[in-house]
Amino acid sequence: MNFKIAAIAGDGIGPEIVREARKVLDKIGKEYGHTFTYEELLMGGCSIDAYGEPLTDETLEKAKKCDSVLLGAVGGNVGQSSWYQLEPDKRPEAGLLKIRKGLELYANIRPAVLFDELSGACPLKPELTEGGFDFVVMRELTGGLYFGERKTVEENGVVKAIDTLTYDENEIRRIAKWGFDVAMKRNKKVCSVDKANVLDSSRLWRKVVREVAKDYPEVELSDMLVDNCAMQLVRDPKQFDVILTENMFGDILSDEASMVTGSIGMLASASLGAGSLGLYEPSHGSAPDIAGQDKANPIATILSAAMMLRYSFDLEEEADAVENAVKQVLKDGYRTVDIMSEGKTQVGTVQMGDLICENIVTVHSNKQKKATQEREEKS
Ligand code: IPM
Ligand code: MG
């Protein structure tokens, strides 16, 4: 099959990690008979430098015409870069918000997985994480405080800033459905996180989520207040399967969730909407301090590409092949500097990408070998 991917490398380490993810996708294409073509687009600081704004309407239109979007990271060093002297809506991150809204990607899935091989990096006590944990944060991405009306005014000589948190029932219903659908493919548990003891928007959230739950009798639903959830994530992360929450809470909790895995350089993310087009990006930022030094861990972006294969292109086997190749490389003891530990072999960004590609061949040809063997045994 043929797929057209918008490749938005972005800033900082973005170009290096997207290059490695493309390398892996091309390897998958070669092994499994698909063609991936890329439309390279600018977003973030590099777009400000080229066009004076972080995402132009033309670029957004081009992205809409692709089958999916692969993103590295946007943004620079806040203290140093001139991008941050611009008005807030002209800064690199505004491009990210504009593309999420413009492509109507309202469902953001961020997995938090404790990889067996990297369990030593987890900052929690071993007794809390024994047996590992594997949950996802399902974050609403195009509503709430991020997109509500905001202004700064002066009243009687006092400056006042206003941000508005709005949700309507339809916005809540569609993300809740995503949460339950994903739970059905996992361990069938949804924990809906809100602040219903204070906020009206949260009370509506809770009500609508409970309504949606009626269509999913197999899924166990619980409600949790966001402050308690922040605590439970470090007290007992194993209790979670799908954490379903609104935009701002999801922003905060997903960072916390990634930290407890101890390996933010490994965590992928997918932003989806009603159609098959999605935006796939690592959960980490653009790390300008290590850009261009072959130090960045490309695995989160490569695993994001795997999510693209699964969620946008429906290529389940190919997605598995990428994920298995990553696991194998870790098993073989290869590490980028961020996940390095004693006795392991340290590699750079490029070599990590190469190793994952090599293992895709192995995984796939092992499968073929097995299938041939089974056929021969039968005949
Ligand atoms: C994220 C980031 C963004 C967000 C920023 C860069 C605008 O923190 O993707 O979590 O807050 O959504
Ligand atoms: Mg964030």
Side-chain angles (χ1 to χ4, degrees), residues 124 128 229-237 256 260:
L124 302 181
L128 297 178
C229 184
M231 190 174 75
Q232 295 296 334
L233 278 172
V234 289
R235 202 188 70 87
D236 178 20
E256 189 188 0
V260 298

Side-chain angles (χ1 to χ4, degrees), residues 308-323:
M308 175 189 286
L309 295 171
R310 176 171 292 122
Y311 288 109
S312 281
F313 303 158
D314 213 13
L315 299 175
E316 192 71 32
E317 193 181 328
E318 288 81 341
D320 284 347
V322 174
E323 288 166 359

Side-chain angles (χ1 to χ4, degrees), residues 320-372:
D320 284 347
V322 174
E323 288 166 359
N324 289 332
V326 169
K327 282 187 199 139
Q328 189 57 47
V329 169
L330 292 175
K331 220 182 225 161
D332 293 343
Y334 296 104
R335 304 282 188 270
T336 42
V337 63
D338 56 310
I339 49 172
M340 183 58 190
S341 61
E342 225 186 296
K344 304 297 176 194
T345 313
Q346 190 172 318
V347 297
T349 314
V350 174
Q351 201 186 342
M352 183 52 95
D354 288 343
L355 285 163
I356 293 168
C357 286
E358 279 166 30
N359 277 279
I360 283 169
V361 183
T362 320
V363 172
H364 187 219
S365 57
N366 278 351
K367 251 198 180 133
Q368 274 179 338
K369 258 188 236 152
K370 217 175 137 201
T372 322

Side-chain angles (χ1 to χ4, degrees), residues 55-75:
L55 176 68
T56 65
D57 292 340
E58 291 76 34
T59 306
L60 181 59
E61 286 313 308
K62 283 182 186 158
K64 276 185 191 165
K65 294 201 181 90
C66 292
D67 296 310
S68 212
V69 182
L70 179 66
L71 169 64
V74 295

Side-chain angles (χ1 to χ4, degrees), residues 18-125:
V18 166
R19 183 192 60 217
E20 296 312 305
R22 283 175 58 168
K23 199 154 90 183
V24 171
L25 282 170
D26 290 340
K27 186 73 194 177
I28 285 285
K30 213 169 138 214
E31 292 294 313
Y32 288 83
H34 307 299
T35 310
F36 301 109
T37 50
Y38 304 93
E39 169 134 27
E40 292 181 5
L41 301 176
L42 295 185
M43 188 173 93
C46 54
S47 173
I48 298 176
D49 292 343
Y51 307 118
E53 50 182 305
L55 176 68
T56 65
D57 292 340
E58 291 76 34
T59 306
L60 181 59
E61 286 313 308
K62 283 182 186 158
K64 276 185 191 165
K65 294 201 181 90
C66 292
D67 296 310
S68 212
V69 182
L70 179 66
L71 169 64
V74 295
N77 203 314
V78 178
Q80 290 165 16
S81 166
S82 61
W83 299 330
Y84 294 93
Q85 275 144 31
L86 299 166
E87 286 296 308
D89 64 344
K90 294 272 178 283
R91 293 177 193 169
E93 288 75 7
L96 191 56
L97 299 187
K98 181 171 170 184
I99 200 168
R100 286 173 181 170
K101 192 76 172 174
L103 299 177
E104 289 181 78
L105 303 172
Y106 58 84
N108 180 223
I109 310 177
R110 295 187 172 176
V113 186
L114 186 66
F115 291 86
D116 277 352
E117 296 290 327
L118 304 176
S119 55
C122 173
L124 302 181
K125 287 188 194 142

